[in-house]
Structures are given as structure tokens and as C-alpha cells.
Amino acid sequence: IAPGQGTVSLERTRVVGNSAGNEGGTDEGGGGILSFGATVNLMASSVTGNTAGADGGGLALLYMEYAPTESMIVNSTISGNAGREGGGVMVSGGRVRFSNSTVAFNEATRRGAGISSDSYTERVELTSSIVSANSTNGQANQVWLFPKAIAGSHNLIDNAGGAPAQMPADTITLDPQLLPLADNGG
């Protein structure tokens, strides 16, 4: 979808095992989902096991300042993805809101293994969400947002002090003791 041209909504969907290289050095990752200036709504879905040779192993939401409205990730899981920056989610520009979601076990080689956002991003909001067990080069690294604060409340983000952004005052920074996604017979 071209910038400003619409909305992509995924509900009760699994985006699993996709790969995006970095052919031609364009730095346009998005192993699972790649959006250029479109609103992305992910509801009751999972983005797992995707890889990118650039940023956004799970999702790369780029040029979001051109999106018609803010993007939303609601009641969803983003786990086991890998990329250069934003192993789970990379946001560039605009606004994105996470609600009742889990971002865990993602890996990055640069920073922001769970969620990463650049200086063009207006706002990242986390509400009642868990961001945990994400790592950059083997070190805990949950959220990288520069230079702004994370909006929202009621989150569980272990190692939240490692991010350059200020977390909401009520953020719980304990380890939620999550295990990787598994088939538990349900």
C-alpha cells in the first residue's frame, strides 16, 4: 500500500516464518509485515518466527507520518522474530498503540529487540502490555525509543531502565518469567 492510501487490518491471523532480506541495501525489512505509510491494525493475531536482513523482524511500520490514522496492535503476540533493529517491531514516523499485547523473545543485532522507534516517530503507547525476554546481541533490550517517552500505563517491561525513553510511571519492571511459545495442547 502506498503512503497515505489506506489501512491493513489483520484479525485472528498468524503471520509465521517469513523472511525479508536487505537486497540492494534499501534497509526495508519487515520480515512478517512491511508497511509504507499505511495504517496497520493487528487484532487478536500473532507475528512469530519472521526474520529481516534490515529493521523490523516481525513488523516494519515505515513512513507512518503519512498513515491515515495511528496503527494499533491489540490482543496480539509478537514473538520469536529477528532483525537488525526492532526485532519484534520497528516504527518510523507517526503513531502506534499497543494494547493488551505481548512482545517477547525477539532478537536484534543493533538495538530495540522488542520495539524500536526512530526520532521521526510522534508517539508509541503501551497499555496493559508485556515486553520481555527480548535481546540485542545476547543482552536484555526491550524498548528503544529516542528521544521521547513511552505513553500509556499498566505495563510489565522487565529491564525497562535500559531504554533511552522514559517509561510510564506505573511500569512494573519485574521478570514475568515467560517461556517461549509452545504447543501446550490447548
Coordinates of all heavy atoms in Angstrom, one line a residue, residues 18-85:
N18 N 8.2 -16.0 7.8 CA 8.5 -15.2 6.6 C 9.9 -14.6 6.7 O 10.4 -14.4 7.8 CB 7.5 -14.1 6.4 CG 6.1 -14.7 6.2 OD1 5.8 -15.3 5.2 ND2 5.3 -14.5 7.2
S19 N 10.5 -14.3 5.6 CA 11.8 -13.7 5.6 C 11.9 -12.6 4.6 O 11.4 -12.7 3.5 CB 12.9 -14.8 5.3 OG 14.2 -14.2 5.3
A20 N 12.6 -11.5 5.0 CA 12.9 -10.4 4.1 C 14.3 -10.1 4.2 O 14.9 -9.8 5.3 CB 12.1 -9.2 4.4
G21 N 15.0 -10.1 3.1 CA 16.5 -9.8 3.1 C 16.7 -8.3 3.1 O 15.8 -7.5 3.4
N22 N 17.8 -7.9 2.7 CA 18.1 -6.5 2.5 C 18.8 -6.3 1.2 O 19.8 -5.7 1.0 CB 19.0 -6.0 3.7 CG 19.2 -4.5 3.7 OD1 18.4 -3.7 3.0 ND2 20.1 -4.0 4.4
E23 N 18.1 -6.9 0.2 CA 18.7 -6.8 -1.2 C 18.8 -5.4 -1.6 O 17.9 -4.5 -1.5 CB 17.7 -7.6 -2.2 CG 17.8 -9.1 -2.0 CD 17.0 -9.6 -0.8 OE1 16.1 -8.8 -0.3 OE2 17.2 -10.7 -0.4
G24 N 19.9 -5.1 -2.2 CA 20.1 -3.7 -2.7 C 20.4 -2.7 -1.6 O 20.5 -1.5 -1.9
G25 N 20.5 -3.1 -0.4 CA 20.8 -2.2 0.7 C 19.8 -1.2 1.0 O 20.1 -0.1 1.4
T26 N 18.5 -1.5 0.7 CA 17.4 -0.5 0.9 C 17.0 -0.3 2.3 O 16.3 0.6 2.6 CB 16.2 -0.9 0.0 OG1 15.8 -2.2 0.5 CG2 16.5 -1.0 -1.4
D27 N 17.4 -1.2 3.2 CA 17.1 -1.1 4.6 C 15.6 -1.2 4.9 O 15.0 -0.6 5.8 CB 17.6 0.2 5.3 CG 19.1 0.1 5.4 OD1 19.7 -1.0 5.4 OD2 19.8 1.2 5.5
E28 N 14.9 -1.9 4.0 CA 13.4 -2.0 4.1 C 13.2 -3.5 4.6 O 13.0 -4.3 3.7 CB 12.7 -1.7 2.8 CG 12.9 -0.3 2.4 CD 12.6 0.0 1.0 OE1 12.2 -1.0 0.2 OE2 12.6 1.1 0.6
G29 N 13.2 -3.7 5.9 CA 13.0 -5.0 6.4 C 11.6 -5.5 6.4 O 10.9 -5.7 5.3
G30 N 11.0 -5.7 7.6 CA 9.6 -6.2 7.7 C 9.5 -7.7 7.3 O 8.9 -8.0 6.3
G31 N 10.2 -8.5 8.1 CA 10.1 -10.0 7.8 C 8.7 -10.5 7.7 O 8.4 -11.3 6.9
G32 N 7.8 -10.1 8.7 CA 6.4 -10.5 8.7 C 5.5 -9.6 7.9 O 4.8 -10.0 7.1
I33 N 5.6 -8.3 8.3 CA 4.7 -7.3 7.7 C 5.6 -6.0 7.4 O 6.3 -5.6 8.3 CB 3.6 -6.9 8.7 CG1 2.7 -8.1 8.9 CG2 2.8 -5.7 8.1 CD1 1.6 -7.9 10.0
L34 N 5.5 -5.5 6.2 CA 6.2 -4.3 5.8 C 5.1 -3.3 5.4 O 4.4 -3.6 4.4 CB 7.2 -4.5 4.7 CG 7.9 -3.3 4.1 CD1 8.7 -2.5 5.2 CD2 8.8 -3.7 3.0
S35 N 5.1 -2.1 6.0 CA 4.1 -1.1 5.6 C 4.8 0.2 5.3 O 5.7 0.6 6.1 CB 3.1 -0.9 6.7 OG 2.3 0.2 6.4
F36 N 4.4 0.9 4.3 CA 5.0 2.2 3.9 C 3.8 3.2 4.1 O 3.0 3.4 3.1 CB 5.5 2.3 2.5 CG 6.8 1.5 2.4 CD1 6.8 0.3 1.7 CD2 8.0 2.0 2.9 CE1 8.0 -0.4 1.5 CE2 9.2 1.3 2.7 CZ 9.2 0.1 2.0
G37 N 3.7 3.9 5.2 CA 2.7 4.9 5.4 C 1.2 4.5 5.4 O 0.4 5.4 5.2
A38 N 1.0 3.3 5.6 CA -0.4 2.8 5.7 C -0.7 2.5 7.2 O 0.2 2.2 8.0 CB -0.6 1.6 4.9
T39 N -1.9 2.6 7.6 CA -2.3 2.2 9.0 C -2.3 0.7 9.0 O -2.9 0.1 8.1 CB -3.7 2.8 9.3 OG1 -3.6 4.2 9.2 CG2 -4.2 2.3 10.7
V40 N -1.7 0.1 10.1 CA -1.8 -1.3 10.2 C -2.5 -1.6 11.6 O -2.1 -1.1 12.6 CB -0.3 -1.9 10.3 CG1 -0.4 -3.4 10.6 CG2 0.3 -1.7 8.9
N41 N -3.5 -2.4 11.5 CA -4.3 -2.8 12.7 C -4.1 -4.3 12.8 O -4.6 -5.1 11.9 CB -5.7 -2.4 12.6 CG -5.9 -0.9 12.6 OD1 -5.2 -0.2 13.3 ND2 -6.9 -0.4 11.9
L42 N -3.5 -4.7 13.9 CA -3.3 -6.2 14.2 C -4.1 -6.5 15.4 O -3.8 -6.0 16.5 CB -1.8 -6.4 14.4 CG -1.3 -7.8 14.5 CD1 -1.4 -8.5 13.2 CD2 0.2 -7.8 15.0
M43 N -5.1 -7.3 15.2 CA -6.0 -7.6 16.3 C -6.1 -9.1 16.5 O -6.4 -9.9 15.6 CB -7.4 -7.0 16.0 CG -7.3 -5.5 16.0 SD -8.7 -4.8 15.1 CE -8.4 -5.2 13.4
A44 N -5.9 -9.6 17.8 CA -6.1 -11.0 18.2 C -5.3 -11.9 17.2 O -5.7 -12.9 16.7 CB -7.5 -11.4 18.2
S45 N -4.0 -11.5 16.9 CA -3.2 -12.1 16.0 C -1.8 -12.4 16.5 O -1.5 -11.9 17.6 CB -3.1 -11.3 14.7 OG -4.3 -11.1 14.1
S46 N -1.0 -13.2 15.8 CA 0.4 -13.4 16.2 C 1.3 -13.2 15.0 O 1.0 -13.6 13.9 CB 0.5 -14.8 16.8 OG 0.3 -15.8 15.8
V47 N 2.5 -12.7 15.3 CA 3.5 -12.5 14.3 C 4.7 -13.2 14.9 O 5.3 -12.7 15.9 CB 3.8 -11.0 14.1 CG1 4.9 -10.8 13.1 CG2 2.5 -10.3 13.6
T48 N 5.1 -14.3 14.4 CA 6.1 -15.2 15.0 C 7.0 -15.8 14.0 O 6.7 -16.1 12.9 CB 5.5 -16.3 15.9 OG1 4.7 -17.1 15.0 CG2 4.6 -15.8 17.0
G49 N 8.3 -15.9 14.4 CA 9.3 -16.6 13.6 C 9.7 -16.0 12.3 O 10.0 -16.7 11.4
N50 N 9.6 -14.7 12.2 CA 9.9 -14.0 11.0 C 11.3 -13.4 11.1 O 11.7 -13.1 12.2 CB 8.9 -12.9 10.7 CG 7.5 -13.5 10.6 OD1 7.2 -14.2 9.6 ND2 6.7 -13.2 11.6
T51 N 12.0 -13.2 10.0 CA 13.3 -12.6 10.0 C 13.5 -11.5 9.0 O 12.8 -11.6 7.9 CB 14.4 -13.6 9.8 OG1 14.3 -14.2 8.5 CG2 14.4 -14.7 10.9
A52 N 14.3 -10.5 9.2 CA 14.6 -9.5 8.3 C 16.1 -9.2 8.3 O 16.7 -9.1 9.3 CB 13.8 -8.2 8.6
G53 N 16.6 -9.0 7.1 CA 18.0 -8.6 7.0 C 18.3 -7.1 7.3 O 19.4 -6.7 7.4
A54 N 17.2 -6.4 7.5 CA 17.2 -5.0 7.9 C 16.4 -4.8 9.2 O 16.4 -5.7 10.0 CB 16.8 -4.1 6.8
D55 N 15.7 -3.7 9.3 CA 14.9 -3.5 10.5 C 13.5 -4.1 10.5 O 12.9 -4.2 9.4 CB 14.8 -1.9 10.7 CG 16.2 -1.3 10.8 OD1 17.1 -2.0 11.2 OD2 16.2 -0.1 10.6
G56 N 13.0 -4.4 11.7 CA 11.6 -4.9 11.8 C 11.5 -6.4 11.4 O 10.9 -6.7 10.4
G57 N 12.1 -7.2 12.3 CA 12.0 -8.7 12.0 C 10.5 -9.1 11.9 O 10.2 -9.9 11.0
G58 N 9.7 -8.7 12.8 CA 8.2 -9.0 12.8 C 7.4 -8.0 12.0 O 6.8 -8.4 11.0
L59 N 7.5 -6.8 12.4 CA 6.8 -5.7 11.6 C 7.7 -4.5 11.4 O 8.4 -4.1 12.3 CB 5.6 -5.2 12.5 CG 4.4 -6.1 12.7 CD1 4.6 -6.8 14.0 CD2 3.2 -5.3 12.8
A60 N 7.7 -3.9 10.2 CA 8.4 -2.7 9.9 C 7.3 -1.7 9.5 O 6.7 -1.8 8.4 CB 9.4 -2.9 8.9
L61 N 7.0 -0.8 10.4 CA 6.0 0.3 10.1 C 6.7 1.5 9.7 O 7.1 2.3 10.6 CB 5.1 0.4 11.3 CG 4.4 -0.9 11.8 CD1 3.6 -0.6 13.1 CD2 3.6 -1.5 10.8
L62 N 6.9 1.8 8.5 CA 7.8 2.9 8.0 C 6.9 4.0 7.4 O 5.8 3.8 6.9 CB 8.8 2.4 7.0 CG 9.6 1.1 7.4 CD1 10.5 0.6 6.2 CD2 10.4 1.4 8.6
Y63 N 7.5 5.2 7.5 CA 6.8 6.4 6.9 C 5.4 6.6 7.5 O 4.5 7.0 6.8 CB 6.8 6.4 5.4 CG 8.1 6.3 4.8 CD1 8.5 5.0 4.2 CD2 9.0 7.3 4.8 CE1 9.8 4.9 3.7 CE2 10.3 7.2 4.2 CZ 10.7 6.0 3.7 OH 11.9 5.8 3.1
M64 N 5.3 6.3 8.8 CA 4.0 6.2 9.4 C 3.4 7.6 9.6 O 2.2 7.8 9.8 CB 4.0 5.5 10.8 CG 4.4 4.1 10.7 SD 3.4 3.1 9.5 CE 1.9 3.1 10.5
E65 N 4.2 8.7 9.4 CA 3.6 10.0 9.5 C 2.6 10.3 8.3 O 1.8 11.2 8.4 CB 4.7 11.1 9.5 CG 5.6 11.1 8.2 CD 6.8 10.2 8.2 OE1 6.8 9.2 9.0 OE2 7.7 10.5 7.5
Y66 N 2.7 9.4 7.3 CA 1.7 9.5 6.2 C 0.5 8.7 6.3 O -0.4 8.7 5.5 CB 2.4 9.2 4.8 CG 3.6 10.1 4.5 CD1 4.9 9.7 4.7 CD2 3.3 11.4 4.2 CE1 5.9 10.5 4.4 CE2 4.4 12.3 3.9 CZ 5.7 11.8 4.0 OH 6.7 12.7 3.8
A67 N 0.5 7.8 7.4 CA -0.7 6.9 7.6 C -1.9 7.7 7.9 O -1.9 8.8 8.6 CB -0.4 6.0 8.7
P68 N -3.1 7.3 7.4 CA -4.3 8.0 7.7 C -4.7 8.1 9.2 O -5.2 9.2 9.6 CB -5.4 7.1 7.0 CG -4.7 6.3 6.0 CD -3.3 6.1 6.5
T69 N -4.4 7.1 10.0 CA -4.6 7.1 11.4 C -3.5 6.4 12.1 O -2.7 5.7 11.4 CB -6.0 6.5 11.8 OG1 -5.9 5.1 11.3 CG2 -7.1 7.2 11.1
E70 N -3.5 6.4 13.4 CA -2.5 5.6 14.2 C -2.7 4.1 13.9 O -3.8 3.7 13.8 CB -2.5 6.0 15.6 CG -3.6 5.4 16.4 CD -3.6 5.7 17.9 OE1 -2.6 6.3 18.4 OE2 -4.5 5.3 18.6
S71 N -1.6 3.4 14.0 CA -1.7 1.9 13.9 C -1.9 1.4 15.3 O -1.5 1.9 16.3 CB -0.4 1.4 13.3 OG -0.2 1.7 12.0
M72 N -2.6 0.2 15.3 CA -2.9 -0.4 16.6 C -2.5 -1.9 16.6 O -2.8 -2.6 15.6 CB -4.4 -0.3 16.9 CG -4.9 1.1 17.0 SD -6.6 1.2 17.5 CE -7.4 0.5 16.1
I73 N -2.0 -2.3 17.7 CA -1.7 -3.8 17.9 C -2.4 -4.1 19.2 O -2.1 -3.7 20.3 CB -0.2 -4.0 18.0 CG1 0.5 -3.6 16.7 CG2 0.1 -5.5 18.4 CD1 2.0 -3.6 16.7
V74 N -3.5 -4.9 19.1 CA -4.4 -5.2 20.2 C -4.6 -6.7 20.4 O -4.8 -7.4 19.4 CB -5.8 -4.5 19.9 CG1 -6.8 -4.8 21.0 CG2 -5.7 -3.0 19.6
N75 N -4.5 -7.1 21.6 CA -4.6 -8.5 21.9 C -3.8 -9.5 21.1 O -4.3 -10.5 20.6 CB -6.1 -8.9 21.9 CG -7.0 -8.2 22.9 OD1 -6.5 -7.9 24.0 ND2 -8.2 -7.9 22.5
S76 N -2.6 -9.1 20.8 CA -1.7 -9.8 19.9 C -0.4 -10.2 20.5 O 0.0 -9.6 21.5 CB -1.5 -9.0 18.6 OG -2.7 -8.8 17.9
T77 N 0.3 -11.1 19.9 CA 1.6 -11.6 20.3 C 2.6 -11.4 19.2 O 2.3 -11.9 18.1 CB 1.5 -13.1 20.7 OG1 0.6 -13.2 21.8 CG2 2.9 -13.6 21.2
I78 N 3.7 -10.8 19.5 CA 4.8 -10.7 18.6 C 6.0 -11.3 19.2 O 6.5 -10.8 20.2 CB 5.1 -9.2 18.3 CG1 3.8 -8.6 17.7 CG2 6.3 -9.0 17.4 CD1 3.8 -7.1 17.6
S79 N 6.4 -12.5 18.7 CA 7.4 -13.3 19.4 C 8.3 -14.1 18.4 O 7.8 -14.6 17.4 CB 6.7 -14.3 20.4 OG 7.6 -15.0 21.1
G80 N 9.6 -14.2 18.8 CA 10.5 -15.1 18.1 C 10.9 -14.6 16.7 O 11.3 -15.3 15.8
N81 N 10.9 -13.3 16.5 CA 11.3 -12.6 15.3 C 12.7 -12.1 15.4 O 13.2 -11.8 16.6 CB 10.3 -11.5 15.0 CG 8.9 -11.9 14.9 OD1 8.5 -12.6 13.9 ND2 8.1 -11.6 15.8
A82 N 13.4 -11.8 14.3 CA 14.7 -11.3 14.4 C 15.0 -10.3 13.3 O 14.5 -10.5 12.1 CB 15.7 -12.5 14.3
G83 N 15.7 -9.2 13.6 CA 16.1 -8.2 12.6 C 17.2 -7.4 13.2 O 17.7 -7.6 14.3
R84 N 17.6 -6.5 12.4 CA 18.8 -5.6 12.8 C 18.4 -4.7 13.9 O 19.0 -4.6 14.9 CB 19.2 -4.8 11.5 CG 20.5 -4.0 11.8 CD 20.9 -3.3 10.6 NE 19.9 -2.4 10.1 CZ 19.8 -1.8 8.9 NH1 20.8 -2.1 8.0 NH2 18.9 -1.0 8.6
E85 N 17.3 -3.9 13.7 CA 16.8 -3.0 14.8 C 15.3 -3.3 14.8 O 14.7 -3.5 13.8 CB 17.0 -1.6 14.5 CG 16.5 -0.6 15.5 CD 16.9 0.8 15.3 OE1 17.8 1.1 14.5 OE2 16.2 1.7 15.9

